[in-house]
Amino acid sequence: MRPFEDVVAEHGPTVLRVCRAIVGPVDAEDAWSETFLSALRAYPQLPADANVEAWLVTIAHRRALDVGRARSRRPTPTDSMPERPAPGADPASRDPDLWDALARLPAKQRQAVAYHHIAGLPFAEIAGLLRNSPDAARRAAADGLKTLRKIYREESR
């Protein structure tokens, strides 16, 4: 079995990209760390013929969801409550970068796009992560890409 440090070095960037796509750049490092802590505990029992990258993406999926849930429960401190948002204050109204655009997708579409186009997983494995069929995973990824194209088209006007 390969040393775990080699696994982290090889697959760490892919796991970080998946975490960024799911929870955004602010919480991605927390999800990445949680992923590799969980993986370190389970690594000795991993079968020799296992697809390590798919295994890590599965763990990253679960840890990123946990981090996202924890973030949604955290209060956001403010000095004062605004009565109305300022015009143009909505980050979705500005030119989004990739992470902002991904954050605007529905969860299943965002995850399908991240797992297939960022992590390179086949739709059969994505279906297991999303608890749906490979056809539904393929459809979610296609719909997500269509929506991303639409967002960029609208934002470039």
Side-chain angles (χ1 to χ4, degrees):
M1 185 170 277
R2 293 174 44 199
F4 190 72
E5 294 81 15
D6 293 348
V7 172
V8 174
E10 181 179 345
H11 300 292
T14 300
V15 169
L16 183 59
R17 287 191 302 269
V18 167
C19 292
R20 279 183 184 154
I22 295 171
V23 295
V26 174
D27 292 320
E29 288 185 20
D30 289 340
W32 185 91
S33 297
E34 292 292 327
T35 297
F36 282 104
L37 282 173
S38 296
L40 178 61
R41 290 182 199 111
Y43 189 64
Q45 288 79 36
L46 188 67
D49 63 342
N51 180 340
V52 176
E53 185 173 53
W55 175 70
L56 287 170
V57 168
T58 301
I59 296 170
H61 163 79
R62 293 178 181 141
R63 295 294 76 87
L65 290 176
D66 290 346
V67 167
R69 285 183 197 114
R71 177 187 61 211
S72 71
R73 291 184 199 113
R74 274 185 248 141
T76 305
T78 60
D79 291 333
S80 64
M81 293 294 293
E83 292 195 27
R84 282 208 157 136
D90 178 14
S93 68
R94 289 181 260 143
D95 289 335
D97 64 10
L98 176 60
W99 308 120
D100 289 337
L102 279 169
R104 293 168 64 183
L105 294 177
K108 292 254 183 186
Q109 289 180 15
R110 181 177 61 250
Q111 292 166 357
V113 168
Y115 299 148
H116 186 69
H117 296 285
I118 295 174
L121 291 181
F123 290 113
E125 291 183 28
I126 295 169
L129 290 170
L130 299 181
R131 294 188 175 111
N132 60 17
S133 69
D135 288 338
R138 184 183 318 277
R139 182 80 241 165
D143 289 347
L145 284 179
K146 182 178 177 182
T147 302
L148 286 174
R149 287 185 188 111
K150 181 180 175 187
I151 289 169
Y152 280 111
R153 219 176 289 125
E154 288 174 358
E155 295 292 330
S156 65
R157 289 183 188 167

Short mmCIF file of all heavy atoms in Angstrom, two decimals, residues 39-66:
data_model
loop_
_atom_site.label_atom_id
_atom_site.label_comp_id
_atom_site.label_asym_id
_atom_site.label_seq_id
_atom_site.Cartn_x
_atom_site.Cartn_y
_atom_site.Cartn_z
N ALA A 39 -10.16 10.19 5.62
CA ALA A 39 -9.48 9.22 4.75
C ALA A 39 -8.31 8.56 5.45
O ALA A 39 -8.08 7.35 5.29
CB ALA A 39 -9.02 9.91 3.47
N LEU A 40 -7.58 9.32 6.24
CA LEU A 40 -6.44 8.76 6.97
C LEU A 40 -6.88 7.64 7.90
O LEU A 40 -6.22 6.59 7.98
CB LEU A 40 -5.73 9.86 7.76
CG LEU A 40 -4.53 9.42 8.61
CD1 LEU A 40 -3.43 8.83 7.73
CD2 LEU A 40 -4.00 10.61 9.40
N ARG A 41 -8.01 7.83 8.57
CA ARG A 41 -8.52 6.80 9.48
C ARG A 41 -8.93 5.53 8.73
O ARG A 41 -8.75 4.43 9.22
CB ARG A 41 -9.71 7.34 10.26
CG ARG A 41 -9.35 8.38 11.28
CD ARG A 41 -10.57 8.84 12.07
NE ARG A 41 -10.30 10.10 12.68
CZ ARG A 41 -10.86 11.26 12.35
NH1 ARG A 41 -11.76 11.29 11.39
NH2 ARG A 41 -10.53 12.37 12.96
N ALA A 42 -9.50 5.69 7.54
CA ALA A 42 -10.02 4.54 6.80
C ALA A 42 -9.01 3.94 5.85
O ALA A 42 -9.22 2.82 5.36
CB ALA A 42 -11.27 4.97 6.03
N TYR A 43 -7.94 4.63 5.55
CA TYR A 43 -6.97 4.19 4.53
C TYR A 43 -6.41 2.78 4.76
O TYR A 43 -6.31 2.01 3.81
CB TYR A 43 -5.84 5.22 4.41
CG TYR A 43 -4.92 4.96 3.26
CD1 TYR A 43 -5.37 5.02 1.94
CD2 TYR A 43 -3.57 4.66 3.47
CE1 TYR A 43 -4.52 4.81 0.88
CE2 TYR A 43 -2.72 4.44 2.41
CZ TYR A 43 -3.18 4.52 1.12
OH TYR A 43 -2.34 4.28 0.06
N PRO A 44 -6.08 2.41 5.99
CA PRO A 44 -5.52 1.06 6.17
C PRO A 44 -6.48 -0.07 5.76
O PRO A 44 -6.03 -1.14 5.37
CB PRO A 44 -5.23 0.99 7.68
CG PRO A 44 -5.04 2.41 8.09
CD PRO A 44 -5.99 3.19 7.23
N GLN A 45 -7.78 0.16 5.81
CA GLN A 45 -8.76 -0.87 5.43
C GLN A 45 -9.17 -0.79 3.96
O GLN A 45 -9.96 -1.62 3.50
CB GLN A 45 -10.03 -0.76 6.29
CG GLN A 45 -9.84 -1.20 7.72
CD GLN A 45 -9.16 -0.14 8.57
OE1 GLN A 45 -9.38 1.05 8.37
NE2 GLN A 45 -8.32 -0.56 9.50
N LEU A 46 -8.64 0.15 3.22
CA LEU A 46 -9.01 0.31 1.81
C LEU A 46 -8.47 -0.87 0.99
O LEU A 46 -7.29 -1.21 1.10
CB LEU A 46 -8.43 1.63 1.26
CG LEU A 46 -8.87 2.03 -0.13
CD1 LEU A 46 -10.36 2.38 -0.14
CD2 LEU A 46 -8.05 3.22 -0.61
N PRO A 47 -9.34 -1.52 0.20
CA PRO A 47 -8.85 -2.62 -0.64
C PRO A 47 -7.78 -2.16 -1.61
O PRO A 47 -7.81 -1.01 -2.09
CB PRO A 47 -10.11 -3.08 -1.40
CG PRO A 47 -11.26 -2.54 -0.62
CD PRO A 47 -10.77 -1.31 0.06
N ALA A 48 -6.85 -3.03 -1.90
CA ALA A 48 -5.73 -2.69 -2.77
C ALA A 48 -6.17 -2.29 -4.17
O ALA A 48 -5.51 -1.48 -4.83
CB ALA A 48 -4.75 -3.87 -2.85
N ASP A 49 -7.29 -2.83 -4.65
CA ASP A 49 -7.75 -2.54 -6.01
C ASP A 49 -8.74 -1.38 -6.07
O ASP A 49 -9.34 -1.12 -7.12
CB ASP A 49 -8.35 -3.78 -6.65
CG ASP A 49 -9.59 -4.27 -5.91
OD1 ASP A 49 -9.80 -3.88 -4.75
OD2 ASP A 49 -10.34 -5.06 -6.52
N ALA A 50 -8.91 -0.65 -4.98
CA ALA A 50 -9.89 0.45 -4.93
C ALA A 50 -9.45 1.62 -5.79
O ALA A 50 -8.25 1.88 -5.95
CB ALA A 50 -10.08 0.91 -3.49
N ASN A 51 -10.42 2.34 -6.34
CA ASN A 51 -10.17 3.57 -7.07
C ASN A 51 -10.02 4.66 -6.01
O ASN A 51 -11.00 5.16 -5.47
CB ASN A 51 -11.33 3.87 -8.03
CG ASN A 51 -11.13 5.15 -8.81
OD1 ASN A 51 -10.35 6.02 -8.43
ND2 ASN A 51 -11.85 5.26 -9.90
N VAL A 52 -8.78 5.01 -5.70
CA VAL A 52 -8.49 5.93 -4.60
C VAL A 52 -9.10 7.30 -4.85
O VAL A 52 -9.66 7.92 -3.95
CB VAL A 52 -6.97 6.03 -4.35
CG1 VAL A 52 -6.65 7.05 -3.28
CG2 VAL A 52 -6.40 4.67 -3.97
N GLU A 53 -9.02 7.79 -6.08
CA GLU A 53 -9.56 9.11 -6.37
C GLU A 53 -11.08 9.15 -6.17
O GLU A 53 -11.61 10.06 -5.54
CB GLU A 53 -9.22 9.54 -7.80
CG GLU A 53 -9.67 10.95 -8.12
CD GLU A 53 -9.20 11.42 -9.46
OE1 GLU A 53 -9.44 10.70 -10.46
OE2 GLU A 53 -8.59 12.50 -9.52
N ALA A 54 -11.77 8.15 -6.66
CA ALA A 54 -13.22 8.09 -6.47
C ALA A 54 -13.56 7.98 -4.99
O ALA A 54 -14.52 8.60 -4.51
CB ALA A 54 -13.82 6.93 -7.25
N TRP A 55 -12.80 7.19 -4.26
CA TRP A 55 -13.00 7.03 -2.82
C TRP A 55 -12.83 8.37 -2.11
O TRP A 55 -13.66 8.75 -1.29
CB TRP A 55 -12.00 5.99 -2.32
CG TRP A 55 -11.97 5.76 -0.84
CD1 TRP A 55 -12.93 5.17 -0.07
CD2 TRP A 55 -10.90 6.12 0.05
NE1 TRP A 55 -12.51 5.13 1.24
CE2 TRP A 55 -11.29 5.69 1.34
CE3 TRP A 55 -9.67 6.72 -0.14
CZ2 TRP A 55 -10.46 5.88 2.45
CZ3 TRP A 55 -8.86 6.90 0.96
CH2 TRP A 55 -9.25 6.48 2.24
N LEU A 56 -11.78 9.12 -2.48
CA LEU A 56 -11.55 10.42 -1.85
C LEU A 56 -12.63 11.44 -2.23
O LEU A 56 -13.06 12.24 -1.38
CB LEU A 56 -10.17 10.96 -2.25
CG LEU A 56 -8.99 10.27 -1.58
CD1 LEU A 56 -7.68 10.72 -2.24
CD2 LEU A 56 -8.97 10.54 -0.09
N VAL A 57 -13.09 11.41 -3.47
CA VAL A 57 -14.15 12.33 -3.89
C VAL A 57 -15.44 12.03 -3.13
O VAL A 57 -16.18 12.93 -2.75
CB VAL A 57 -14.35 12.31 -5.42
CG1 VAL A 57 -15.61 13.03 -5.84
CG2 VAL A 57 -13.14 12.93 -6.11
N THR A 58 -15.70 10.75 -2.89
CA THR A 58 -16.88 10.37 -2.11
C THR A 58 -16.78 10.93 -0.69
O THR A 58 -17.75 11.49 -0.17
CB THR A 58 -17.02 8.83 -2.06
OG1 THR A 58 -17.14 8.34 -3.38
CG2 THR A 58 -18.22 8.41 -1.23
N ILE A 59 -15.61 10.80 -0.09
CA ILE A 59 -15.41 11.35 1.25
C ILE A 59 -15.52 12.87 1.21
O ILE A 59 -16.17 13.48 2.07
CB ILE A 59 -14.05 10.90 1.83
CG1 ILE A 59 -14.02 9.38 2.02
CG2 ILE A 59 -13.77 11.61 3.16
CD1 ILE A 59 -12.65 8.83 2.37
N ALA A 60 -14.92 13.50 0.19
CA ALA A 60 -14.97 14.96 0.06
C ALA A 60 -16.42 15.43 -0.07
O ALA A 60 -16.81 16.45 0.51
CB ALA A 60 -14.15 15.41 -1.14
N HIS A 61 -17.21 14.69 -0.83
CA HIS A 61 -18.63 15.02 -0.99
C HIS A 61 -19.31 15.09 0.37
O HIS A 61 -19.98 16.06 0.71
CB HIS A 61 -19.28 13.96 -1.89
CG HIS A 61 -20.77 13.93 -1.84
ND1 HIS A 61 -21.55 14.83 -2.52
CD2 HIS A 61 -21.63 13.11 -1.19
CE1 HIS A 61 -22.83 14.56 -2.28
NE2 HIS A 61 -22.90 13.52 -1.49
N ARG A 62 -19.11 14.07 1.17
CA ARG A 62 -19.76 13.99 2.48
C ARG A 62 -19.24 15.06 3.44
O ARG A 62 -20.01 15.70 4.15
CB ARG A 62 -19.58 12.60 3.07
CG ARG A 62 -20.33 11.56 2.26
CD ARG A 62 -20.13 10.16 2.79
NE ARG A 62 -20.85 9.22 1.96
CZ ARG A 62 -20.38 8.03 1.65
NH1 ARG A 62 -19.22 7.62 2.10
NH2 ARG A 62 -21.09 7.22 0.89
N ARG A 63 -17.92 15.25 3.47
CA ARG A 63 -17.35 16.25 4.38
C ARG A 63 -17.75 17.66 3.95
O ARG A 63 -18.03 18.51 4.80
CB ARG A 63 -15.82 16.15 4.43
CG ARG A 63 -15.28 14.85 5.01
CD ARG A 63 -15.58 14.63 6.49
NE ARG A 63 -16.91 14.24 6.83
CZ ARG A 63 -17.39 12.98 6.88
NH1 ARG A 63 -16.62 11.96 6.59
NH2 ARG A 63 -18.64 12.74 7.21
N ALA A 64 -17.78 17.93 2.64
CA ALA A 64 -18.18 19.26 2.16
C ALA A 64 -19.63 19.54 2.53
O ALA A 64 -19.97 20.66 2.94
CB ALA A 64 -17.97 19.37 0.66
N LEU A 65 -20.49 18.53 2.41
CA LEU A 65 -21.88 18.73 2.83
C LEU A 65 -21.95 19.03 4.32
O LEU A 65 -22.72 19.90 4.75
CB LEU A 65 -22.72 17.50 2.48
CG LEU A 65 -22.99 17.26 1.00
CD1 LEU A 65 -23.75 15.96 0.81
CD2 LEU A 65 -23.71 18.42 0.37
N ASP A 66 -21.15 18.33 5.12
CA ASP A 66 -21.11 18.58 6.56
C ASP A 66 -20.65 20.01 6.86
O ASP A 66 -21.23 20.70 7.70
CB ASP A 66 -20.18 17.60 7.27
CG ASP A 66 -20.71 16.17 7.30
OD1 ASP A 66 -21.91 15.98 7.01
OD2 ASP A 66 -19.91 15.25 7.58
#
